[in-house]
Amino acid sequence: MLRKATLALALIGSCIATTAAAQSFTATLGVSSVNPKGGNGTLAGARASIDDDASTTASVAYGFDENWSAELWTGLGRFNHTVSLAGLGDVGKVSHRPTSLSVNYHFLPGSRFRPFVGLGYTRVSLSGERAIGAIAGSDLSAGGSNGYNFNLGVDVALTDSLFLRGDARYLDFDTQVKLDGADIGTANVDPWVYGLSLGLRF
């Protein structure tokens, strides 16, 4: 009986140790480029377009096991964009900061090259809206956005704890735009965000 109990405790301890070893934290720091889709809707009856911008981004993630992780990704700096309207040119400036919470699946445990895919939820906070050009002096405003995100990428191990990450994220990002308090349409930003970062596993 004692021998069976001892064996059972040993097996339980082994399972706990294996699970703990599989769990890990990662943190990344890098640069990402936000690239809005072509054709960003119609504002005030004119076709809108939004340019690209790059800024510093970071993430922290908890690995439940060798394959699954939960990741919090955010912009450390704000992304700044210029809004243009067909026939009017540049008409606005806006800044935003995205924050995403995702569940990722990592392939090829133990490999130097580890691709991953993920799905989650993004909150985009907007600020600094400013009318310029043909509508300078008007009150331009836009609301924050909530939507899903899809991401994919690959981690390349440099050492046991350091890795290089390249990733791409699609953000479901639409915002209502107002001019002098009147609704003038929805900006469909829906960008792909391309990133390159250095990561630490601990």
Side-chain angles (χ1 to χ4, degrees):
M1 184 70 174
L2 180 59
R3 182 177 297 177
K4 290 182 179 180
T6 302
L7 180 59
L9 288 174
L11 288 172
I12 292 171
S14 177
C15 290
I16 292 173
T18 301
T19 302
Q23 295 172 343
S24 66
F25 287 92
T26 61
T28 67
L29 177 65
V31 175
S32 296
S33 175
V34 170
N35 297 259
K37 71 173 186 177
N40 302 119
T42 300
L43 300 177
R47 188 170 182 271
S49 61
I50 302 171
D51 68 356
D52 306 340
D53 191 41
S55 188
T56 307
T57 52
S59 74
V60 292
Y62 173 71
F64 298 102
D65 57 27
E66 292 183 329
N67 296 108
W68 292 97
S69 70
E71 177 193 47
L72 180 66
W73 173 88
T74 189
L76 294 182
R78 289 190 173 272
F79 295 89
N80 303 304
H81 300 277
T82 299
V83 182
S84 302
L85 293 181
L88 293 178
D90 296 344
V91 295
K93 297 280 188 180
V94 64
S95 301
H96 74 87
R97 180 182 177 187
T99 299
S100 297
L101 181 62
S102 305
V103 174
N104 298 332
Y105 183 83
H106 303 261
F107 300 90
L108 306 178
S111 172
R112 184 185 176 195
F113 297 89
R114 296 206 62 191
F116 64 88
V117 295
L119 186 66
Y121 178 83
T122 297
R123 169 65 183 173
V124 180
S125 59
L126 276 72
S127 65
E129 303 98 315
R130 179 167 58 92
I132 61 173
I135 63 170
S138 299
D139 179 22
L140 181 68
S141 62
S145 175
N146 301 293
Y148 71 91
N149 66 271
F150 168 76
N151 51 285
L152 69 162
V154 62
D155 293 337
V156 181
L158 303 177
T159 68
D160 287 342
S161 56
L162 285 175
F163 60 91
L164 186 66
R165 171 173 293 179
D167 60 16
R169 300 168 185 272
Y170 176 80
L171 308 183
D172 178 26
F173 175 10
D174 301 324
T175 180
Q176 292 296 121
V177 182
K178 294 184 178 182
L179 187 65
D180 293 328
D183 190 350
I184 60 171
T186 301
N188 307 120
V189 187
D190 297 336
W192 277 97
V193 183
Y194 303 104
L196 184 64
S197 57
L198 186 65
L200 175 66
R201 189 181 310 280
F202 54 96

